[in-house]
């Protein structure tokens, strides 16, 4: 028989032995035993007569594997593995590379200013591999235009990591004093100079460093930077912050393979002084030029990789136009690692041309006919299967044509919500927010997004990038024969919804300066 004392103590009396517990006092008696627990008293009567003398057992020392503080001793049993490591509050490495004994590491990648995702990567994982991992997990399309950005929110700096850069090595250069993060975003202008190489760089700015008088075309300039050929150079004027006593000073810069040089004279190449070393520096785009009191908003910055993130270590320059800033940022990248950037671009191009291996599920698909009363049958004849496929395609076209031509006499009940499921539609985005979003993903001709108008009810706005500027086109509803349509050109071309409007202008310019080629997409992580 077991008797419970308190909540955690059990006593089993026997005629040979009785146990003494810590925290209680037992007194022997021929008639009874009294156990005192705190302020309560419990009396136990002996169940059997006591014949032999009692032999009390000694207290057993129970070892523990826990010490004070956070130090934990190893146990003889192996710990149970955590099935959800990404849910743990793991501290990120910020000042040095992880230990050599580790194989996998956790990093944070932001999709926007607040939402982020923790992913597990290897020690030598590149920016390209991290992007591919995020593309698969987020089910993104057009994976070649996604990029990993390095962001300094407090300094207002950002840059696109090259595909070959090791992510953990970049993270190891961060300082604990200044906030830095990775961001997963679209970036269409990462390799844009390969697509329009004949007009990307101004011919008046580029030449041969050995013979400055000898001019060079933009195509030759890019080809020389992506190979081990001659040593070209690019030169021009910029406003520099804090180099002299005044706040901003216009200076003459020359960029070569050996570094960036500065001079107070335009034509005196003997007076050049080294301003920045390419091998230990990176170029960043300044997101907010007003933060540094710049004359214009087209600013970029050269930051040493071993810098602690202080403003005094930044070399901030201000260009006159967005085209000028874009040229110099791309030139800095090409001078630093142009050959590797070309290899990265070739690898992407080859992956697009590589034949896609059909999956097992595609190989197991068969043509079926469900027109009979007895149920579906497998179409074994290849010719009959091809005819069935063409008939199905024609039936689909008829259904889509019927949808476009359906009667919509009741204009108030007309549904234009089909566009809300598409990634290029951003709802009530403001004009300024649309411009910043497009600029962040690269000012490339044809990049667009659609949003609701903030000033006109029942209207939409198409924000489109053309010639490095974001232009806005209003989409208004019109009525014709009691039917409601949407138009960009005052009714000359009419569409029943935004989806039809976008699909049309992806093929035809119409009233726009350029076709819609690249949707501005944000994917929540």
């Amino acid at each position: 028989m077991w008797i419970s004392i308190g909540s955690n103590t059990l006593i089993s009396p026997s005629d040979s032995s009785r146990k003494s517990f810590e925290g209680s006092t037992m007194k022997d008696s021929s008639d009874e035993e009294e156990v005192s627990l705190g302020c309560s008293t419990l009396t136990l009567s002996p169940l059997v007569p006591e014949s032999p003398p009692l032999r009390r057992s000694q207290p057993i020392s129970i070892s523990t594997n826990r010490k004070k503080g956070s130090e934990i001793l190893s146990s003889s049993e192996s710990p149970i593995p955590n099935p959800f490591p990404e849910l743990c509050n793991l501290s990120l490495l910020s000042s040095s590379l992880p230990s050599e004994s580790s194989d996998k590491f956790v990093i944070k990648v932001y999709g926007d200013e607040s939402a982020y995702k923790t992913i597990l990567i290897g020690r030598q994982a590149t920016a390209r591999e991290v992007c591919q991992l995020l593309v698969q997990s987020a089910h993104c399309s057009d994976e070649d235009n996604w990029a990993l950005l390095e962001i300094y929110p407090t300094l207002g700096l950002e840059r696109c990591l090259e595909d070959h850069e090791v992510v953990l090595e970049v993270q190891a250069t961060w300082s604990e004093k200044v906030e830095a993060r990775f961001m997963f975003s679209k970036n269409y202008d990462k390799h844009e100079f390969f697509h329009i190489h004949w007009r990307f760089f101004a011919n008046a700015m580029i030449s041969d460093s050995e013979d400055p008088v000898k001019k060079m075309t933009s195509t030759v300039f890019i080809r020389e930077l992506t190979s081990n050929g001659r040593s070209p150079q690019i030169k021009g004027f910029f406003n520099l912050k804090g180099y002299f006593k005044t706040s901003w000073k216009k200076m003459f810069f020359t960029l070569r393979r050996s570094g960036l040089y500065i001079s107070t004279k335009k034509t005196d190449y003997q007076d050049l002084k080294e301003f920045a070393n390419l091998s230990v520096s990176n170029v960043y785009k300044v997101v907010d030029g007003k933060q540094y009191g710049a004359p214009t908003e087209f600013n970029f910055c050269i930051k040493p990789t071993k810098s602690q993130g202080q403003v005094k270590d930044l070399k901030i320059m201000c260009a006159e136009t967005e085209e000028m800033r874009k040229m110099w940022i791309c030139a800095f990248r090409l001078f630093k690692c142009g050959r590797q950037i070309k290899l990265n671009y070739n690898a992407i191009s080859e992956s697009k041309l590589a034949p896609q291996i059909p999956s097992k599920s595609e190989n197991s698909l068969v043509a079926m006919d469900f027109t009979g009363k007895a149920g579906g049958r497998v179409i074994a004849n290849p010719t009959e299967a091809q005819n069935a496929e063409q008939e199905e395609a024609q039936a689909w076209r008829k259904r889509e044509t019927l949808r476009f031509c359906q009667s919509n006499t009741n204009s108030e009940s007309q549904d234009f919500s089909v566009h809300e499921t598409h990634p290029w539609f951003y709802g009530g985005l403001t004009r300024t927010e649309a411009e910043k979003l497009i600029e962040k993903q690269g000012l490339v001709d044809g990049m667009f997004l659609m949003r609701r108008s903030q000033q006109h009810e029942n209207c939409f706005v198409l924000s489109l990038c053309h010639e490095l500027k974001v232009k806005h086109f209003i989409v208004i509803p019109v009525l014709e024969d009691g039917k409601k349509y949407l138009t960009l050109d005052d009714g000359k071309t009419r569409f029943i919804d935004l989806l039809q409007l976008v699909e049309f202008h992806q093929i035809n310019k119409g009233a726009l300066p350029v076709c819609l080629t690249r949707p501005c997409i944000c994917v929540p992580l």
Side-chain angles (χ1 to χ4, degrees):
M1 177 178 181
W2 295 88
I3 300 177
S4 174
I5 302 177
S7 60
N8 297 321
T9 308
L10 297 175
I11 294 180
S12 175
S14 80
D15 55 348
S16 61
S17 64
R18 296 186 183 276
K19 296 183 178 179
S20 175
F21 298 88
E22 184 180 357
S24 64
T25 305
M26 301 185 66
K27 297 181 180 180
D28 297 334
S29 173
S30 60
D31 298 329
E32 64 179 11
E33 295 183 15
E34 186 179 72
V35 181
S36 177
L37 299 174
C39 59
S40 62
T41 303
L42 178 65
T43 302
L44 301 178
S45 299
L47 300 179
V48 293
E50 302 178 6
S51 48
L54 292 176
R55 299 180 59 187
R56 301 186 180 277
S57 60
Q58 298 298 323
I60 300 175
S61 176
I62 302 176
S63 61
T64 178
N65 63 342
R66 184 171 298 177
K67 288 188 176 183
K68 294 182 179 181
S70 60
E71 182 183 2
I72 300 178
L73 298 179
S74 60
S75 175
S76 58
E77 298 181 358
S78 60
I80 300 176
N82 183 8
F84 305 105
E86 68 276 6
L87 300 180
C88 297
N89 186 18
L90 299 177
S91 59
L92 297 180
L93 305 173
S94 58
S95 59
S96 61
L97 284 173
S99 61
E100 295 291 339
S101 59
S102 302
D103 294 329
K104 297 292 183 179
F105 306 90
V106 176
I107 64 170
K108 282 184 180 180
V109 179
Y110 285 76
D112 52 32
E113 295 182 357
S114 57
Y116 66 88
K117 186 173 185 178
T118 56
I119 59 175
L120 201 63
I121 64 172
R123 172 179 292 277
Q124 298 299 323
T126 62
R128 172 73 174 168
E129 293 171 347
V130 171
C131 287
Q132 290 177 340
L133 182 63
L134 292 171
V135 163
Q136 295 175 1
S137 62
H139 304 286
C140 304
S141 61
D142 191 19
E143 64 179 51
D144 297 328
N145 291 318
W146 290 97
L148 198 64
L149 305 181
E150 182 186 9
I151 308 291
Y152 286 87
T154 56
L155 297 178
L157 307 179
E158 68 176 35
R159 78 176 181 99
C160 175
L161 267 65
E162 305 296 347
D163 290 346
H164 65 276
E165 289 191 74
V166 179
V167 175
L168 290 181
E169 291 181 359
V170 175
Q171 185 175 263
T173 63
W174 294 353
S175 171
E176 297 180 355
K177 301 178 181 179
V178 180
E179 181 186 2
R181 62 179 62 170
F182 292 121
M183 180 170 288
F184 180 62
S185 173
K186 279 278 186 180
N187 192 281
Y188 288 105
D189 64 348
K190 182 169 59 173
H191 297 135
E192 184 67 11
F193 42 81
F194 289 125
H195 302 153
I196 52 174
H197 53 83
W198 61 90
R199 61 178 177 88
F200 191 85
F201 292 98
N203 294 341
M205 299 175 56
I206 53 181
S207 62
D208 194 333
S209 59
E210 297 178 358
D211 186 7
V213 181
K214 185 178 180 180
K215 300 300 180 181
M216 186 179 294
T217 63
S218 178
T219 302
V220 175
F221 181 72
I222 295 176
R223 184 175 68 243
E224 296 296 334
L225 288 177
T226 54
S227 62
N228 294 327
R230 293 176 297 174
S231 298
Q233 67 179 7
I234 182 172
K235 54 187 182 296
F237 281 97
F238 289 111
N239 290 312
L240 178 64
K241 178 178 175 59
Y243 194 77
F244 288 91
K245 294 182 180 179
T246 56
S247 179
W248 289 86
K249 181 68 175 181
K250 197 169 187 178
M251 304 292 294
F252 182 75
F253 291 90
T254 302
L255 182 61
R256 298 175 177 175
R257 290 187 187 272
S258 55
L260 180 64
Y261 298 88
I262 190 171
S263 175
T264 55
K265 300 179 182 180
K266 181 177 180 180
T267 57
D268 189 4
Y269 291 96
Q270 303 297 327
D271 193 35
L272 294 178
K273 298 180 181 179
E274 184 175 328
F275 182 71
N277 189 346
L278 301 184
S279 60
V280 294
S281 303
N282 286 317
V283 61
Y284 294 80
K285 183 168 69 172
V286 179
V287 180
D288 186 9
K290 297 180 180 179
Q291 180 178 353
Y292 301 98
T296 67
E297 59 181 346
F298 313 113
N299 307 282
F300 63 99
C301 168
I302 295 178
K303 175 182 172 297
T305 54
K306 296 183 179 180
S307 170
Q308 295 299 316
Q310 299 179 4
V311 178
K312 65 179 183 180
D313 299 328
L314 307 179
K315 298 175 181 179
I316 305 174
M317 290 164 286
C318 178
E320 297 293 333
T321 62
E322 174 62 30
E323 183 180 8
M324 191 70 65
R325 175 173 71 170
K326 189 173 183 178
M327 280 194 301
W328 276 82
I329 290 179
C330 293
F332 194 99
R333 294 171 50 208
L334 289 172
F335 271 106
K336 183 176 181 179
C337 51
R339 184 179 177 84
Q340 184 61 50
I341 292 177
K342 180 64 174 178
L343 295 176
N344 298 339
Y345 175 73
N346 291 339
I348 294 176
S349 302
E350 291 174 0
S351 63
K352 291 181 179 180
L353 298 176
Q356 301 294 330
I357 301 175
S359 61
K360 294 182 179 180
S361 59
E362 293 177 351
N363 291 332
S364 61
L365 295 178
V366 294
M368 298 288 293
D369 179 18
F370 294 94
T371 58
K373 297 182 179 180
R377 68 178 182 88
V378 177
I379 303 177
N381 189 349
T383 304
E384 184 183 359
Q386 185 176 5
N387 294 334
E389 182 182 0
Q390 294 177 355
E391 291 177 0
E392 180 64 24
Q394 292 176 1
W396 178 84
R397 292 190 185 96
K398 290 180 180 179
R399 289 194 298 268
E400 290 298 302
T401 305
L402 181 63
R403 181 177 73 88
F404 289 147
C405 299
Q406 62 184 349
S407 176
N408 53 0
T409 55
N410 188 2
S411 60
E412 298 297 331
S413 62
Q414 176 68 13
D415 185 16
F416 290 112
S417 61
V418 66
H419 54 268
E420 294 184 357
T421 60
H422 289 263
W424 40 258
F425 183 74
Y426 282 82
L429 202 66
T430 65
R431 182 189 185 99
T432 304
E433 291 172 342
E435 292 176 351
K436 289 183 178 179
L437 187 59
I438 292 178
E439 180 182 354
K440 191 173 194 177
Q441 297 192 11
L443 293 174
V444 179
D445 287 355
M447 185 187 301
F448 73 97
L449 62 84
M450 193 74 70
R451 56 189 176 88
R452 293 191 182 94
S453 175
Q454 301 289 316
Q455 299 179 354
H456 306 281
E457 189 177 359
N458 298 326
C459 295
F460 302 93
V461 177
L462 173 65
S463 298
L464 174 65
C465 179
H466 180 241
E467 295 181 350
L468 302 178
K469 294 182 180 179
V470 181
K471 301 179 181 180
H472 306 274
F473 302 88
I474 187 168
V475 181
I476 61 175
V478 294
L479 287 175
E480 183 178 352
D481 298 333
K483 299 179 182 180
K484 188 174 181 180
Y485 300 94
L486 295 176
T487 180
L488 272 169
D489 50 8
D490 296 330
K492 295 180 181 179
T493 310
R494 299 176 299 275
F495 308 94
I496 68 166
D497 52 33
L498 289 181
L499 179 58
Q500 190 185 33
L501 184 148
V502 169
E503 290 177 346
F504 174 83
H505 287 95
Q506 285 178 333
I507 304 174
N508 310 277
K509 289 196 305 182
L512 301 177
V514 66
C515 291
L516 307 180
T517 56
R518 298 175 175 91
C520 188
I521 300 176
C522 288
V523 175
L525 295 179

